[in-house]
């Protein structure tokens, strides 16, 4: 990324463009006006008191995810998922092929109970990362092999992150998969301590895995880059439940976590683990059985195999973001219900003030619930685009950008909102009934899952400077001038881009500058997207004032 940014910055020699940007900043600043007061209205009251039920086609699935009791027993939680996998009236793997948005829509409906983060994590690992990867990257026969396992309730995992390359590293792996034409098989190997798979959710109880490994060709002298393999890694005794790894696979558990105790996370390493030729998910790339020759057959418009592989993480980012944002909003509703019924000291008066009537308390509930709703609406729009991309086998750069924005804005602000609720409720937050304890830590977990939020921010900036997305999106900038919050962000965006042009290479070492550019871009896209929604879906007047109050900050802090 450093080299790319250096090339772009060094080529920006047009001082007229820079001067034009800086002159425009002054005009935009003068167009700004005073922000309006933020008071509770009927729309906000409805947001804080009413829950939209799931549609009928996913209602049974949502009930199945929230009806099992929360448990810290990993084996019990794994059994809960097996029951869901086997359920005929629930989500079938086949629907990932015929109706990909159905899985994504489930994530939005978090209910109003305590978050069963362990079971929900298992669910998205099983249906999105594991099964979804096989459906997306596998041939029809490979899909049918997956479909045949559903009635048995077999569990799977996604063996991607490693000790030396985790959620802060992008699509980097050291695990290798060397093809041997003599045996017609691949040998998957963890050659170093850092190549051991780590933080593999459901790895202790998985019978199968989708394994990410570098495909080694020409007797191991050529690295074909990361590819996915679908293989059995353990056998399960149906009577005792005991798991036994197959030859060449070693599995051990991570240290005990502070939350999500019902979810197992594993180390997985491979010692010349031999898998059949058919285990390579070969819908878009293949290795000749006899000669070992490698061939690519990518969809139109896709130039690299790694781009398809990374796209597998995009669906997970939508699921995690929408689930986290809506759960944080559910906690706002629960906390508001308490605040609306908790009477303060009344003295000699017949009735005291309610917590919800205190101006600062009310303003906080108003601002945070509205902002979560705006972010949720944006993620909902991105979800529909992601589903379309799945069907087309091609993710556009614009959709990739919106997915990354959904991830780092949705999950990070959800964490901040939960923190604010704890502060406002005081001792009430210590009660289990508040749901603000360990179960709410799922919001923190999703910030790191499927690519850390810092990586998502840098991805936004990287794509801008590489020309994948426009550095100066004229229509977006012009439409943003039509409302005060947009003008403020355009001012900051042009100012920071101009500063990056001036300092050139030094901009690469200014993490705060890159972060601010990413968040400017995110604010512009989010606000313009929700303002353009039709049929009453756009946020009511004044809601963007709340969004600005709690989320538009420069320099952008680690915590909002």
């Amino acid at each position: 990324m450093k080299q790319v940014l250096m090339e772009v910055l060094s080529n920006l020699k047009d001082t007229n463009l820079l001067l034009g940007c800086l002159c425009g900043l002054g005009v935009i600043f003068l167009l700004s006006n005073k922000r309006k007061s933020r008071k509770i209205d009927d729309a906000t009251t409805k947001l804080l008191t009413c829950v939209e039920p799931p549609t009928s086609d996913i209602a049974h699935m949502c009930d199945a995810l929230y009806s099992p009791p929360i448990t810290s027993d990993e084996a019990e939680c794994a059994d809960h998922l097996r029951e869901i996998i086997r359920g005929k009236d629930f989500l079938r793997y086949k629907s990932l092929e015929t109706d990909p948005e159905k899985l994504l829509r489930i994530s939005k409906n978090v209910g109003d109970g305590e978050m069963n983060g362990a079971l929900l994590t298992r669910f998205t690992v099983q249906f999105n990362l594991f099964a979804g990867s096989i459906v997306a990257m596998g041939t029809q026969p490979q899909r049918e092999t997956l479909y045949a396992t559903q009635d048995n309730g077999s569990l799977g995992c996604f063996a991607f992150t490693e000790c030396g390359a985790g959620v802060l590293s992008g699509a980097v792996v050291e695990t290798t998969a060397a093809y041997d034409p003599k045996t017609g098989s691949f040998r998957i190997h963890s050659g170093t301590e850092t190549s051991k798979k780590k933080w593999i959710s459901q790895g202790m109880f998985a019978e199968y895995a989708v394994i990410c490994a570098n495909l080694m060709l020409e007797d191991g002298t050529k690295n074909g880059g990361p590819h996915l393999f679908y293989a059995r890694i353990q056998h399960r005794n149906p009577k005792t439940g005991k798991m036994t790894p197959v030859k060449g696979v070693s599995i051990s558990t991570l240290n005990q976590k502070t939350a999500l105790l019902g979810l197992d996370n594993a180390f997985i390493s491979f010692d010349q683990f031999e898998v059949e030729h058919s285990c390579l998910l070969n819908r878009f790339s293949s290795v000749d059985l006899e000669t070992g020759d490698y061939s690519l057959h990518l969809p139109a418009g896709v130039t690299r195999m790694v781009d398809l592989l990374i796209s597998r993480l995009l669906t997970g980012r939508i699921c995690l973001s929408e689930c986290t944002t809506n759960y944080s909003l559910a906690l706002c509703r629960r906390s508001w219900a308490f605040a609306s019924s908790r009477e303060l000291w009344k003295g000699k008066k017949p009735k005291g003030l309610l917590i919800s009537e205190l101006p600062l308390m009310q303003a906080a509930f108003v601002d945070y619930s509205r902002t979560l709703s705006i972010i949720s609406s944006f993620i909902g729009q991105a979800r529909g685009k992601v589903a379309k991309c799945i069907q087309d086998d091609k993710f556009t750069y614009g959709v990739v950008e919106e997915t990354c924005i959904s991830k780092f804005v949705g999950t990070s602000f959800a964490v901040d909102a939960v923190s604010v609720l704890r502060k406002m409720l005081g001792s009430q937050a210590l009660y289990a009934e508040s749901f603000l304890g360990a179960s709410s830590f799922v919001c923190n977990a999703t910030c790191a899952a499927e690519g850390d939020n810092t990586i998502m921010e840098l991805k936004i900036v990287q794509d801008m400077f590489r020309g994948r997305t426009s550095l100066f999106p004229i229509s977006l900038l012009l439409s943003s001038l039509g409302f005060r919050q947009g003008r403020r962000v355009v001012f900051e965006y042009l100012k920071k881009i101009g500063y990056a042009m001036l300092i050139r290479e030094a901009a690469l070492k200014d993490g705060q500058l890159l972060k601010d550019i990413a968040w400017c871009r995110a604010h512009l896209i989010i606000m313009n997207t929700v303002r353009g929604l039709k049929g009453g879906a756009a946020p009511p007047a004044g809601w963007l004032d709340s969004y600005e109050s709690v989320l538009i900050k420069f320099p952008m802090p680690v915590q909002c």
Side-chain angles (χ1 to χ4, degrees):
M1 178 179 174
K2 179 177 179 180
Q3 182 179 356
V4 174
L5 292 175
M6 286 179 61
E7 291 176 0
V8 174
L9 291 173
S10 63
N11 290 329
L12 292 174
K13 299 178 180 179
D14 190 346
T15 56
N16 291 329
L17 173 63
L18 178 56
L19 290 174
C21 291
L22 295 176
C23 291
L25 295 177
V27 177
I28 294 168
F29 182 76
L30 292 175
L31 289 173
S32 299
N33 50 39
K34 187 178 180 180
R35 67 183 63 178
K36 301 176 182 178
S37 61
R38 307 177 311 280
K39 295 182 179 180
I40 195 163
D41 54 11
D42 291 342
T44 307
T45 300
K46 181 178 180 181
L47 175 66
L48 284 168
T49 55
C50 300
V51 180
E52 181 182 352
T55 56
S56 58
D57 62 324
I58 60 173
H60 288 307
M61 184 70 252
C62 294
D63 288 341
L65 282 170
Y66 284 94
S67 57
I70 297 176
T71 176
S72 59
D73 187 307
E74 296 174 353
E76 182 181 358
C77 189
D79 283 338
H80 291 162
L81 182 62
R82 289 190 182 96
E83 294 176 9
I84 290 174
I85 294 170
R86 288 191 291 260
K88 299 290 186 181
D89 297 329
F90 300 149
L91 191 67
R92 305 300 292 177
Y93 291 149
K94 182 73 174 179
S95 70
L96 303 178
E97 178 183 349
T98 59
D99 184 11
E101 191 174 5
K102 188 174 184 179
L103 168 63
L104 303 181
R105 286 191 292 112
I106 292 172
S107 301
K108 175 184 177 180
N109 298 277
V110 297
D112 56 3
E114 188 171 13
M115 172 68 82
N116 194 338
L119 182 58
L120 286 172
T121 302
R122 290 185 184 278
F123 174 75
T124 191
V125 166
Q126 182 73 30
F127 283 87
N128 176 50
L129 292 178
F130 170 69
S133 294
I134 298 169
V135 171
M137 305 293 285
T139 60
Q140 197 59 42
Q142 289 173 324
R143 292 173 178 176
E144 295 299 332
T145 300
L146 167 72
Y147 301 159
T149 69
Q150 184 156 17
D151 289 341
N152 295 328
S154 300
L155 300 184
C157 66
F158 190 64
F160 192 169
T161 52
E162 299 179 350
C163 292
V167 294
L168 281 167
S169 307
V172 178
V173 292
E174 292 183 84
T175 302
T176 58
Y179 183 67
D180 184 354
K182 297 178 181 179
T183 61
S185 63
F186 295 93
R187 289 188 178 273
I188 301 176
H189 187 60
S190 306
T192 63
E193 185 64 24
T194 54
S195 66
K196 180 190 297 185
K197 301 296 182 180
K198 184 180 181 182
W199 277 107
I200 309 305
S201 296
Q202 202 160 263
M204 297 298 297
F205 292 89
E207 296 173 62
Y208 298 91
V210 168
I211 305 164
C212 185
N214 287 321
L215 180 61
M216 307 305 294
L217 304 166
E218 300 177 8
D219 295 326
T221 61
K222 181 180 179 181
N223 188 339
H227 285 64
L228 299 182
F229 297 80
Y230 169 35
R232 176 182 283 278
I233 59 171
Q234 294 193 100
H235 291 283
R236 178 174 181 266
N237 186 314
K239 295 182 178 179
T240 65
K242 181 180 179 181
M243 307 298 300
T244 304
V246 301
K247 182 181 179 181
V249 178
S250 298
I251 303 176
S252 59
T253 187
L254 268 66
N255 295 339
Q256 185 174 350
K257 305 187 296 292
T258 58
L260 305 177
L261 301 183
L263 173 68
D264 55 289
N265 296 92
F267 290 108
I268 303 179
S269 61
F270 307 100
D271 183 9
Q272 300 297 338
F273 172 42
E274 187 174 2
V275 300
E276 296 178 356
H277 175 269
S278 59
C279 288
L280 171 66
L281 295 180
N282 61 348
R283 183 181 176 196
F284 302 111
S285 64
S286 58
V287 174
D288 186 88
L289 178 63
E290 296 182 357
T291 66
D293 292 339
Y294 178 73
S295 61
L296 277 173
H297 21 95
L298 301 174
V302 179
T303 59
R304 302 186 307 166
M305 184 65 188
V306 69
D307 290 330
L308 284 175
L309 189 151
I310 294 175
S311 72
R312 289 304 316 132
L313 300 177
L314 298 181
T315 54
R317 289 167 188 164
I318 288 293
C319 290
L320 293 177
S321 304
E322 195 159 26
C323 177
T324 305
T325 302
N326 282 279
Y327 184 59
S328 183
L329 184 54
L331 292 176
C332 280
R333 294 190 183 102
R334 188 173 187 85
S335 300
W336 175 256
F338 169 78
S340 299
S341 61
R342 178 65 168 86
E343 187 178 346
L344 300 175
W345 169 249
K346 64 182 179 180
K348 296 182 179 180
K349 298 177 182 179
K351 189 178 188 304
L353 279 175
L354 299 174
I355 291 179
S356 61
E357 294 174 330
L358 296 175
L360 288 178
M361 288 285 193
Q362 185 175 111
F365 276 109
V366 167
D367 289 342
Y368 279 85
S369 63
R370 286 176 175 179
T371 303
L372 285 167
S373 178
I374 288 172
I375 296 171
S376 178
S377 295
F378 171 75
I379 298 173
Q381 294 298 305
R383 182 220 311 143
K385 296 175 184 179
V386 166
K388 179 67 166 55
C389 289
I390 294 174
Q391 292 178 320
D392 294 343
D393 289 324
K394 180 183 178 182
F395 281 79
T396 65
Y397 291 131
V399 173
V400 171
E401 182 176 48
E402 290 188 17
T403 304
C404 292
I405 289 171
S406 297
K407 175 65 166 58
F408 73 77
V409 174
T411 59
S412 62
F413 185 72
V415 170
D416 296 340
V418 171
S419 178
V420 167
L421 291 176
R422 293 193 187 108
K423 292 177 182 178
M424 290 196 299
L425 265 61
S427 60
Q428 174 65 18
L430 297 175
Y431 287 114
E433 65 187 31
S434 73
F435 296 170
L436 293 173
S439 61
S440 66
F441 194 80
V442 68
C443 300
N444 299 74
T446 56
C447 286
E450 311 275 350
D452 186 84
N453 283 353
T454 302
I455 292 296
M456 299 297 100
E457 294 167 358
L458 293 177
K459 169 68 173 171
I460 295 295
V461 180
Q462 180 188 60
D463 284 355
M464 289 163 49
F465 283 107
R466 280 186 171 177
R468 292 174 175 172
T469 56
S470 175
L471 188 61
F472 294 103
I474 300 302
S475 63
L476 178 66
L477 296 175
L478 289 177
S479 63
S480 299
L481 296 179
F483 57 102
R484 183 179 54 76
Q485 297 84 2
R487 291 193 292 273
R488 178 187 172 195
V489 177
V490 169
F491 175 84
E492 292 290 343
Y493 182 75
L494 295 179
K495 181 175 69 174
K496 294 180 187 304
I497 292 293
Y499 181 62
M501 293 178 183
L502 286 174
I503 65 174
R504 298 182 182 274
E505 185 177 351
L508 306 176
K509 302 177 182 179
D510 193 335
Q512 185 65 61
L513 177 62
L514 299 178
K515 184 182 186 73
D516 288 346
I517 291 174
W519 277 85
C520 280
R521 184 83 165 202
H523 291 318
L524 292 175
I525 292 175
I526 289 173
M527 290 191 293
N528 278 278
T529 297
V530 298
R531 288 182 81 246
L533 297 177
K534 306 297 182 182
W543 282 35
L544 284 183
D545 292 319
S546 291
Y547 180 94
E548 178 187 25
S549 175
V550 297
L551 197 52
I552 299 180
K553 300 179 181 181
F554 300 105
M556 186 64 190
V558 174
Q559 184 171 11
C560 302

